Amino acid sequence: MNSFGKKNLQNIKNIFAEKTGVIPDTRPCRHPGRLAAAAAALLVCCLGMPTLAYSMFSSLSGDDLAISAVYEGDGVISVRVENRSDKELNFESRLKLMRWSDNVEIQPLSGSVDFTGTKFQAHTDGIMTLDLSEAYDMDALEQPLVDDHYFLVLTNNNFIFGQDWMCTVEFAESPVQTVQADPDPIAPAEADPALTEKIMEELKPYFADYISDPGERNRLALEYQSLCQQLLGQIEGTVVAPVSPMELTMQDSGEAVLFDSTVPSDMQLQLTGLHRRTFDGYGKLIGASDLEQALVLSAYIPQKQGDIDGGVDIPLRYVFIYEADRVQNPQDYAFVRGQLLTFEQMEQYRIYGDTRYVCYDVTDLFYSDLRSHVESMVSQRTDVYFDEQIWTRIQNIDAYYRENMGKLLGYR
């Protein structure tokens, strides 16, 4: 009987990715003896995966949320969730309680965690309540940690990558003071006035302010889409819409990278995230409709001093993807964040192309100064830690992907 090899495993991984929209870990296996068992598990998962997996809430599909946790005492945690997606989000009644310093899971003693309020409709926010009192030794958890923190991992689909969500939780009074209690978000027009001036005149009001209320943000987005349809319908020429093919993504180069010297070498890539998003960091539509998405490379930064990575992502690089057979006339138009450009003008941003797709890194159309952009993103949050070490991390991530993103794009 022939032995089970890497080629067989890769074929099954391809099937798994096609069925679920999730990319299995492709790093070299450190335990070759487990290769067949891993493949069998993947195959069973593929065969049993319903078609509805395509529509589940996932960061890989561009869905986004904001999440934070507060310990109320007696084992009860209040988790505030803001669903920023067009899809309903349903958390499973499962969690992992982890420690930041060594990424080790705190094992429950007995019993189960009681979950209340796990469903969140599109563009709503609310509170999910977790009662850990029957499952964990709360007296031990409530002891102060020294330069360390706990965090929760929650999921809406079996902790699969893209469907697991982290947030810090403090069971004891923390001596570390973070940012101001009341955030004062920096508006897009204030953060980058020169870039705002390049936006089409009729669309400038949409990009002027930062809107924190999800309902109002959604209402303005609908008005913006209607105005875009009206304006673009008057253009003499063809406006080509971007696409978001799941099969085209960013590959792991396999090379050792160093973004932050304070983080273990095997966790460097965990400081970055790749998303398909409809909105930019201000909650503004990136295209002319909520059907248009960009491939967004983000940097993760801590929520508290002492965190290794953290649960706050800062969008850094925006890539628009177009079907190659639609980009034939250099005088056709692309519409990116309120700006109309010919593909002749877009050529300066081109980073990848083949017979199927052409990709453009249009980050310069989203912000013109990295420091101002990062500070404006940080200003939206009260649960974020930002210092010069974190700033160096962000610069390193941005520089690496600005140089290499085109080389890393490829098919699953």
Side-chain angles (χ1 to χ4, degrees), residues 360-379:
Y360 301 86
D361 184 343
V362 291
T363 303
D364 289 347
L365 304 180
F366 284 80
Y367 60 87
S368 55
D369 179 74
L370 180 60
R371 181 74 186 221
S372 297
H373 168 69
V374 172
E375 290 178 350
S376 65
M377 296 294 101
V378 170
S379 74

Side-chain angles (χ1 to χ4, degrees), residues 56-57 65-68 79-83 88-95 115-120 126-128 130 153-159 163-167:
M56 291 188 68
F57 190 106
L65 61 76
I67 184 170
S68 60
V79 180
R80 183 168 189 83
V81 178
E82 179 188 343
N83 183 352
E88 182 179 272
L89 171 60
N90 291 290
F91 286 98
E92 294 180 352
S93 296
R94 306 169 62 189
L95 64 78
F115 282 70
T116 305
T118 57
K119 181 182 294 186
F120 297 87
I127 301 294
M128 175 170 57
L130 319 177
V153 183
L154 305 169
T155 184
N156 64 311
N157 187 19
N158 200 35
F159 300 103
Q163 293 172 310
D164 56 347
W165 319 95
M166 297 189 304
C167 62

Side-chain angles (χ1 to χ4, degrees), residues 116-174:
T116 305
T118 57
K119 181 182 294 186
F120 297 87
Q121 301 295 329
H123 300 293
T124 64
D125 60 83
I127 301 294
M128 175 170 57
T129 304
L130 319 177
D131 188 346
L132 279 61
S133 59
E134 298 297 321
Y136 292 88
D137 183 348
M138 298 311 303
D139 288 337
L141 291 178
E142 289 174 357
Q143 295 301 310
L145 295 175
V146 178
D147 295 327
D148 206 352
H149 305 278
Y150 295 110
F151 68 97
L152 299 173
V153 183
L154 305 169
T155 184
N156 64 311
N157 187 19
N158 200 35
F159 300 103
I160 291 175
F161 178 68
Q163 293 172 310
D164 56 347
W165 319 95
M166 297 189 304
C167 62
T168 298
V169 59
E170 301 287 355
F171 294 104
E173 186 69 24
S174 173

Side-chain angles (χ1 to χ4, degrees), residues 207-254:
F207 294 96
D209 301 315
Y210 172 74
I211 306 298
S212 59
D213 179 69
E216 178 67 5
R217 189 187 302 165
N218 190 45
R219 184 188 69 81
L220 292 173
L222 291 174
E223 291 182 358
Y224 177 77
Q225 291 180 72
S226 178
L227 184 55
C228 285
Q229 290 178 0
Q230 176 185 340
L231 293 174
L232 297 182
Q234 300 171 359
I235 299 296
E236 294 184 1
T238 301
V239 180
V240 181
V243 295
S244 184
M246 294 300 296
E247 68 271 18
L248 183 62
T249 187
M250 199 163 60
Q251 313 288 338
D252 182 356
S253 68

